[in-house]
Amino acid sequence: MTEIGAVLTTKYPRHEVRSRLSTMDPLVIDSTPGAETDGGVDVATTDAGPVRCGDLTSLGVAAERATTQLATGDRTGTFAIATLTQLLAHHDPTALDRFLHELVGQWRNQ
């Protein structure tokens, strides 16, 4: 990863992502099962609660907010997803393809 960025994590909790990327301070969208007790998301999505791996809409909103926040900086950021395997366990490949296509479109527009 570069100096700035965002990570959508479906497998590793937020604190673990931060410890592995100790040289940077990424925005973390934590959709792991324990995220509810960890406080969850650096980029708030709604007042409804944590982002869940099975909810592509809330993941998309959080990713869009993270992308927008990174775009306001003066340096190019990196967006990472860890891991796609977890997303595939919750969604059919066609829906996941559309979701990823939308994310890439957001990143390209920024």
Side-chain angles (χ1 to χ4, degrees):
M1 278 192 87
T2 59
E3 292 178 13
I4 62 169
V7 178
L8 167 58
T9 179
T10 61
K11 183 175 182 180
Y12 306 104
R14 179 171 58 174
H15 67 277
E16 194 171 321
V17 170
R18 289 193 180 284
S19 70
R20 289 181 183 204
L21 300 172
S22 59
T23 60
M24 62 177 296
D25 187 26
L27 299 171
V28 179
I29 303 165
D30 185 349
S31 64
T32 61
E36 298 89 18
T37 59
D38 185 22
V41 184
D42 290 342
V43 182
T45 54
T46 66
D47 295 330
V51 176
R52 298 198 187 328
C53 190
D55 182 358
L56 289 179
T57 301
S58 66
L59 287 173
V61 170
E64 180 179 19
R65 290 184 181 180
T67 300
T68 301
Q69 191 168 339
L70 290 175
T72 61
D74 58 349
R75 296 176 294 180
T76 302
T78 301
F79 199 106
I81 300 176
T83 73
L84 288 175
T85 305
Q86 300 297 88
L87 287 171
L88 278 170
H90 287 88
H91 305 284
D92 68 83
T94 302
L96 190 55
D97 283 347
R98 284 192 305 259
F99 174 75
L100 294 173
H101 180 77
E102 288 293 321
L103 284 182
V104 170
Q106 286 176 22
W107 302 333
R108 190 175 299 130
N109 289 337
Q110 295 297 334

